[in-house]
Amino acid sequence: VQLQASGGGLVQTGGSLTLSCAASGFTFTDYAIGWFRQAPGKEREGVSCINKSGGSTNYRGSVRGRFTISRDNAKNTVTLQMDNLKPEGTAVYYCAADVHNLCLKAAMPTDVYYDYWGQGTLVTVSS
């Protein structure tokens, strides 16, 4: 089982980045995918999720309207498009897979519900 997050980097405030999560070693279409981030000295927090069909997505309030999550089940990938980035978005971003498919429009599952995790990609937003 492998989740490979990529696409991080250094960007100025207001800039954009596209993160990708490539999955292998499991049946991708059986899993919801979530993005989490952890800033230095802070706890990990959920950023966004997408259910296994792609029909349901959710975002934390601070990124809603600026981030867009999508998935390509034919390519076993999930993309997080991040626009209008802010310095508080500086963190290591992780993708994770959830077999319970708990990503709903009304609620985003916490990290305890995720079964597999990627290694993370660093996003740095300069002010």
Side-chain angles (χ1 to χ4, degrees):
V1 173
Q2 189 172 15
L3 290 167
Q4 183 76 33
S6 62
L10 174 64
V11 64
Q12 292 185 333
T13 297
S16 298
L17 281 174
T18 302
L19 302 185
S20 293
C21 177
S24 61
F26 62 99
T27 305
F28 185 68
T29 51
D30 285 347
Y31 288 75
I33 301 295
W35 283 98
F36 291 79
R37 66 187 180 189
Q38 187 166 21
K42 295 188 176 181
E43 292 187 355
R44 186 165 59 192
E45 61 184 22
V47 176
S48 180
C49 66
I50 186 165
N51 73 347
K52 62 183 182 180
S53 70
S56 179
T57 62
N58 207 330
Y59 303 88
R60 70 179 300 108
S62 61
V63 308
R64 192 179 302 273
R66 299 186 295 116
F67 290 13
T68 303
I69 191 170
S70 60
R71 68 188 292 159
D72 185 338
N73 283 345
K75 296 182 178 179
N76 287 9
T77 59
V78 170
T79 297
L80 184 68
Q81 175 66 39
M82 305 188 297
D83 297 320
N84 191 19
L85 282 161
K86 302 179 180 181
E88 53 264 38
T90 295
V92 177
Y93 284 70
Y94 302 88
C95 59
D98 160 33
V99 73
H100 310 285
N101 197 35
L102 294 175
C103 180
L104 305 172
K105 292 181 179 180
M108 191 162 58
T110 62
D111 55 3
V112 299
Y113 291 99
Y114 285 83
D115 305 280
Y116 306 131
W117 289 83
Q119 86 292 354
T121 185
L122 177 63
V123 172
T124 303
V125 185
S126 64
S127 57

